[in-house]
Amino acid sequence: MAFAHTTVLRDPTAAAVAAGVRAALAVDRRGSPAGAVADCTLGGGGHSEALLLALHDLPEVSVVGLDRDPQALAAATVRLAGFGSRFRAVHGRFGDLPGLLPGALLGVVADLGVSSPQFDDADRGFSFRADGPLDMRMDPTRGPTAADLLDSVRLEDLADVLFQYGDIRRSIGTARIVLDEYSKGANTTARLAERLAARLDRSRSLHPATQVFQALRIWVNDEAAELERLLDDVPDRLAPGAALAVITFHSGEDRAVKHAFAQRARTDAFEVRERRGVVADGAEVAANVRARSARLRVLWRRTEFDLTRRSANIDDGENE
Ligand SMILES: C[S@@+](CC[C@H](N)C(=O)[O-])C[C@H]1O[C@@H](n2cnc3c(N)ncnc32)[C@H](O)[C@@H]1O
């Protein structure tokens, strides 16, 4: 199957991270500017490609693309082969970034969630539009599938998962229905979705199984913990001037990013320039429905120059 994923917020993401790379290199007065940008969610390679093009005049800067999905790595490696040694693909989780890519980072991109090919391939078990196994692993080489987890989960724990990751309010009742139908043989994606549609509230425009599937996917892939590790570890590893750009697709994720960035920006070392983040314009949403719920937030590590300018501004303000 061809790997087709339309990159969301491609230009603003690449522009922010490339500006951060240039600021970081300008700070490096020792004249040793070589370094790497990490694309934590390589997918089809769209953001990596945009970055490599935006930084074409800086051949000493490379992009390391990380993904936990071997299919994504293979496809992006083919797509980006023309960039030679400026691009390298690494199999792994971005929660393990410090071990996988030690040292200071000239910039970081994380475009969260699943890629279209993961969603479109019924055998991966992410979607209920076509029937497939209840798998949902981004990395099919390791870890429990959704079915493995459902085999042994307690009702209360599943309810927590549905509440936290699917924003499902009556989560105990929904968890009971999921476990009941699963145990009665609804153990594939389309079958489970069909049973949920028959028993859950159908008054909303969303398919009743949508939030349940989102919650199961986030649980299977430990996405909340992965994001937390990224937000904890990466800011301090940014070179002065560099940017961390994160694109989220649902409110829980966006809240976590907004909160973590705001905490960092309370210190002098970091800043957030666009407080509300950046969303896709009408043309992008018309061309790609996935862009509708995307929000880009960027955290910048301040340079000494930023800090001096900032304290001069504060002094000026105080003297007025
Ligand atoms: C939305 S897609 C990225 C698309 C990419 N930016 C592009 O333009 O083609 C998200 C990708 O991140 C990967 N991914 C999600 N969570 C990950 C994690 N914790 N560590 C590594 N890769 C992850 C998924 O396997 C998927 O391929």
Side-chain angles (χ1 to χ4, degrees), residues 3 5 7-8 39-47 66-69 72 79 92-95 111-115 118 138 226 249 290:
F3 200 103
H5 177 88
T7 299
V8 167
D39 179 353
C40 290
T41 49
L42 179 62
H47 283 114
L66 200 72
D67 208 295
R68 59 207 287 193
D69 183 345
R79 174 173 179 178
R93 295 170 163 224
F94 58 64
D111 173 19
L112 302 176
V114 286
S115 66
Q118 287 169 333
M138 289 179 187
E226 279 289 300
F249 291 87
R290 260 192 100 243

